[in-house]
Amino acid sequence: MNTPLIRLSGVGRKKGAFTLHADAEFGSGVHLLTGRVGSGKTTLGEILAGIVEPDFGTIQCTGERRVMLLQDTSYHISTMTVEEEAGSWHGDAGNIIRIAGLCGKEHADLFTLSRGEVRRLELAAILSGSYDLIVLDEPWAGLDEEARRWVRKLIDTHAHAIIVIISHDITSLPRIDQLWEMDDGVLRQLGPVPACLESWTRAPPLIRYLIGRGEVPSGLSREELEEAVCRIHG
């Protein structure tokens, strides 16, 4: 089995006056993609997942199975019941339903579920599957803290895959290996975590606060951030 790798060479996509540019290699591990709203993060995720084709440049993949979870869960629903939807992912439907915590709702109409329940079902299907590349766009949306912990644990079991997380919420992250930033359509690799954190010029306020107090977190996971905060407060 090949180690998953996706390489972007001179990749670009135009949307009106906006142009995205990316030269990068994504290997196995968990990658966090940050950047301002409108900087091109979701577009890059769609290119990585094969949802859209770039206007120029080349993409090379050693793996074959790629998937992306978009922010809007309605884009993914293709059936009527929980059981049918779980089965549509070509995995073990019963296992997906169990992982999602939806036992007893197998025959429920999908549109009677809460947004959080639909998201759990989709995440269970994706993170229990054998994908080489998984792109998660704001995966915590609509989830309570218990469900967020559940997602983090599932992600941590997929270290063999390439997982790209697009999120503004740094308080719910799993362990992050590499940090990337979209800067007005240009992709930049900031480097491995935690080595790159002190030079992260656009770091969120919590990271700037910790570094300003002399406490560089050992990583970006929720547990690592909590540990750094506790060191400050003794």
Side-chain angles (χ1 to χ4, degrees):
M1 178 176 170
N2 291 329
T3 301
L5 176 72
I6 184 164
R7 179 181 293 115
L8 309 182
S9 301
V11 164
R13 184 167 174 84
K14 293 179 178 293
K15 283 189 175 183
F18 175 83
T19 303
L20 179 147
H21 297 276
D23 285 278
E25 283 190 4
F26 292 85
S28 58
V30 183
H31 304 255
L32 177 63
L33 176 57
T34 68
R36 295 172 178 167
V37 173
S39 62
K41 301 185 300 298
T42 295
T43 299
L44 178 64
E46 291 171 341
I47 290 172
L48 288 171
I51 295 173
V52 300
E53 293 293 327
D55 294 318
F56 49 86
T58 60
I59 302 174
Q60 296 173 288
C61 303
T62 57
E64 296 181 359
R65 298 195 70 203
R66 296 184 280 167
V67 67
M68 181 177 185
L69 177 69
L70 292 163
Q71 293 184 49
D72 187 346
T73 57
S74 64
Y75 288 147
H76 295 266
I77 293 173
S78 58
T79 61
M80 293 300 295
T81 69
V82 169
E83 187 172 51
E84 290 172 347
E85 187 67 18
S88 72
W89 289 87
H90 307 295
D92 183 331
N95 188 51
I96 290 170
I97 291 169
R98 180 187 60 77
I99 292 172
L102 294 174
C103 293
K105 293 189 175 183
E106 289 85 353
H107 304 296
D109 185 328
L110 283 168
F111 292 96
T112 67
L113 299 184
S114 69
R115 183 184 180 193
E117 287 175 322
V118 174
R119 177 133 301 218
R120 289 208 316 267
L121 180 62
E122 294 170 336
L123 285 164
I126 289 171
L127 294 171
S128 65
S130 55
Y131 294 100
D132 301 297
L133 171 69
I134 299 170
V135 181
L136 303 175
D137 191 357
E138 300 294 350
W140 328 117
L143 299 180
D144 59 23
E145 181 50 38
E146 181 179 356
R148 292 177 183 216
R149 286 197 300 271
W150 167 81
V151 175
R152 292 197 296 271
K153 289 176 67 175
L154 274 181
I155 290 174
D156 283 338
T157 66
H158 277 65
H160 60 282
I162 304 169
I163 299 181
V164 179
I165 298 174
I166 303 169
S167 181
H168 293 95
D169 180 2
I170 69 159
T171 65
S172 298
L173 295 172
R175 178 188 54 79
I176 300 296
D177 298 302
Q178 289 283 337
L179 183 61
W180 300 78
E181 187 171 65
M182 288 297 298
D183 185 3
D184 292 329
V186 179
L187 177 64
R188 296 192 301 130
Q189 184 176 15
L190 301 185
V193 175
C196 68
L197 295 182
E198 288 188 89
S199 59
W200 188 7
T201 56
R202 293 181 178 172
L206 175 58
I207 303 300
R208 295 200 301 270
Y209 167 76
L210 290 170
I211 292 174
R213 297 294 296 269
E215 289 293 345
V216 180
S218 58
L220 289 173
S221 73
R222 184 179 180 91
E223 293 75 17
E224 289 164 329
L225 293 179
E226 287 177 344
E227 181 183 311
V229 171
C230 287
R231 287 198 299 267
I232 290 176
H233 297 290

